Amino acid sequence: MTGMPQQHDVVDLLTADHREVQELFEGYRASADPGERRLLMEQITVEIVRHSVAEEQYLYPTVRKALPNGDEVAEREMEELSEAERILGDLERLDTADRRFDALVRELYDVVSMHIRGEEDVIFPELRERLTPQERMALGLRVGEAKSANPGPPGEEIGDGVSKERPLAERVREWLSGS
């Protein structure tokens, strides 16, 4: 059960998301247990999709308006997130013992790291410069609300009637969008 989201500056909120996903990747690298690695990948999947949906709904429309090259920046970041979700789907179809699994995890990590650098090195400094603290707080509240409506950890139901035959990333995205 999720409570009301606390109000945070959108930059601080999304940076915290980045650190959380990086910690999950570190946990994956530190584990040799296939079951634990699968669970960590499921958690990474949920967190990436949760983050992606919130950014698509609220951050990128703001980036498009606030940054001089906002359309280009938003499109590049959304493409990276789409690539990450594609890799997540590929990972879900593989057994953790498959020799391709770790290579795909490394590819995912590279895409996610590029996304994080793009936001933290380009977008976030621009938003701090171009938006007032109140605007960043309001945007953070909307992003936090979008994230609080998201599903819990893997294994909990992801919306009644949502097909479990499809990859987790697709199911989470469908559940979040209500479609």
Side-chain angles (χ1 to χ4, degrees):
M1 180 174 187
T2 57
M4 290 298 296
Q6 294 182 357
Q7 191 166 2
H8 296 284
D9 181 303
V10 69
V11 172
D12 296 337
L13 180 65
L14 294 175
T15 299
D17 280 0
H18 295 164
R19 296 298 91 75
E20 183 177 347
V21 169
Q22 288 173 323
E23 287 176 20
L24 289 168
F25 274 112
E26 288 172 18
Y28 175 87
R29 282 193 298 269
S31 177
D33 178 77
E36 182 180 3
R37 291 179 115 197
R38 174 59 71 190
L39 283 174
L40 285 163
M41 285 313 304
E42 289 175 356
Q43 290 173 322
I44 289 169
T45 299
V46 169
E47 291 308 316
I48 288 173
V49 175
R50 180 183 304 204
H51 183 87
S52 298
V53 169
E55 286 187 339
E56 289 166 8
Q57 288 176 335
Y58 298 108
L59 180 68
Y60 296 133
T62 301
V63 165
R64 288 178 188 283
K65 293 176 190 169
L67 275 60
N69 57 343
D71 286 332
E72 177 186 322
V73 171
E75 288 301 318
R76 182 178 58 242
E77 294 299 319
M78 288 174 34
E79 286 173 17
E80 289 171 358
L81 291 172
S82 292
E83 177 66 6
E85 287 187 36
R86 182 199 61 76
I87 296 168
L88 287 166
D90 292 346
L91 281 165
E92 189 170 354
R93 288 185 281 279
L94 293 175
D95 185 272
T96 55
D98 189 302
R99 62 181 173 75
R100 297 171 292 173
F101 197 86
D102 281 339
L104 273 175
V105 171
R106 282 190 296 279
E107 183 180 344
L108 176 65
Y109 180 79
D110 290 345
V111 169
V112 169
S113 293
M114 187 168 37
H115 171 76
I116 288 171
R117 281 191 308 275
E119 287 189 344
E120 292 183 8
D121 294 348
V122 176
I123 294 174
F124 295 170
E126 290 269 352
L127 290 178
R128 284 197 191 277
E129 182 179 312
R130 298 176 184 282
L131 299 180
T132 67
Q134 294 80 12
E135 289 170 325
R136 291 193 315 270
M137 292 295 279
L139 184 56
L141 182 61
R142 289 192 300 275
V143 167
E145 287 171 346
K147 289 175 39 120
S148 72
N150 294 342
E156 292 181 12
E157 74 285 338
I158 301 183
D160 291 333
V162 177
S163 170
K164 294 188 178 28
E165 299 298 316
R166 296 186 0 262
L168 179 61
E170 289 179 29
R171 296 191 326 257
V172 172
R173 181 169 282 283
E174 181 179 298
W175 190 77
L176 293 172
S177 65
S179 56

